[in-house]
Amino acid sequence: MSLTRTLAAVAALGLAVGAASYTPPAAAREYVSVTVGTRPPPPRFERVPPPRAGYAWAPGYWNWARGRYVWVGGHWYAPRPGYVYRAPAWRPYGHGWRFERETWHRDRRWHR
């Protein structure tokens, strides 16, 4: 077998092994569930800034960090065409409260 063929076979094998073990970041899913025994405090008042062209305002929310509720202020997001933003929320769960992180869901009207 010639050196060129050997190198081509090694490169093809490397690509095949690499492709089989590679998971693109967009395909990776991460889910972290936080359940707390006490109700979150009421939302803080936030003055919503004037509209910003090309962006959507995401309101602030209470997060759970280091054993206590911590306020995370609102911020701007660049909209994702074909998706709808769902703000984070605390929902009753058993004898406590479960935190649902902010997410982007496909807009059914867009994807048909």
Side-chain angles (χ1 to χ4, degrees):
M1 188 184 264
S2 72
L3 179 60
T4 304
R5 280 188 171 175
T6 304
L7 289 175
V10 170
L13 179 63
L15 287 173
V17 169
S21 64
Y22 175 72
T23 303
R29 298 280 183 198
E30 180 180 320
Y31 181 78
V32 177
S33 174
V34 175
T35 304
V36 180
T38 59
R39 174 187 291 259
R44 287 186 177 174
F45 171 78
E46 279 190 313
R47 186 176 311 276
V48 178
R52 186 173 165 191
Y55 287 87
W57 177 252
Y61 60 94
W62 289 105
N63 194 15
W64 184 258
R66 295 178 292 285
R68 65 188 182 92
Y69 286 104
V70 178
W71 182 254
V72 177
H75 54 275
W76 291 105
Y77 268 124
R80 294 177 60 185
Y83 289 83
V84 176
Y85 173 77
R86 187 173 77 189
W90 286 94
R91 307 221 189 275
Y93 182 79
H95 295 290
W97 292 82
R98 177 170 279 176
F99 183 63
E100 296 175 0
R101 300 235 173 252
E102 58 192 352
T103 58
W104 289 90
H105 290 277
R106 284 181 166 231
D107 186 346
R108 293 174 196 219
R109 296 170 298 174
W110 183 276
H111 298 280
R112 289 188 181 200

